[in-house]
Amino acid sequence: MNQYDLNLILNPNLSAEQVQIEKDYIENTLRGNGAEITNLDDLGNRRLAYAVNKDREGYYLMYTIRAGGNPEQTIAAPLRLRDNVRRILVVKDRPEWKTRKA
């Protein structure tokens, strides 16, 4: 199993209950595909660099997960079908990116 960063931007106009529903759906999708959630950073509403669907803000969720196979197909593809999900990015965490050269 490899470690991945799963970054999502949700609709900024969601209520707290709707955000919790989306988070529950995301976590159920991850667990249903055999992924393990190691960390969740809930950053809330942040300003975007450019407008997405005429919104200048987005609700940011950043998951650190451990998953096997290809999470871009098994996890990100079903999440892209959600109406409140604006953007998804899956990045494989590589240890050499964290080392500093002297």
Side-chain angles (χ1 to χ4, degrees):
M1 292 182 75
N2 296 318
Q3 186 164 326
Y4 295 91
D5 290 329
L6 174 66
N7 303 321
L8 293 103
I9 301 175
L10 303 178
N11 183 348
N13 302 320
L14 297 177
S15 68
E17 295 84 23
Q18 291 171 319
V19 170
Q20 189 59 46
I21 289 170
E22 291 297 325
K23 287 167 69 173
D24 291 341
Y25 181 83
I26 293 165
E27 291 175 8
N28 289 336
T29 302
L30 290 171
R31 290 193 180 101
N33 287 303
E36 173 189 341
I37 300 170
T38 58
N39 189 23
L40 167 62
D41 291 329
D42 186 347
L43 300 178
N45 282 338
R46 299 281 178 154
R47 185 165 172 79
L48 299 171
Y50 55 91
V52 176
N53 292 344
K54 298 184 181 179
D55 286 325
R56 295 294 298 172
E57 290 186 344
Y59 193 92
Y60 279 76
L61 295 172
M62 297 184 179
Y63 289 89
T64 304
I65 62 172
R66 293 185 54 77
N70 186 356
E72 183 64 36
Q73 292 177 345
T74 59
I75 295 170
L79 292 178
R80 282 194 175 92
L81 300 176
R82 300 287 291 179
D83 290 335
N84 292 322
V85 175
R86 299 293 169 92
R87 293 286 188 266
I88 295 178
L89 177 67
V90 179
V91 179
K92 185 175 181 180
D93 190 29
R94 299 181 59 181
E96 62 266 17
W97 291 347
K98 295 181 180 172
T99 59
R100 291 188 163 193
K101 294 184 180 180

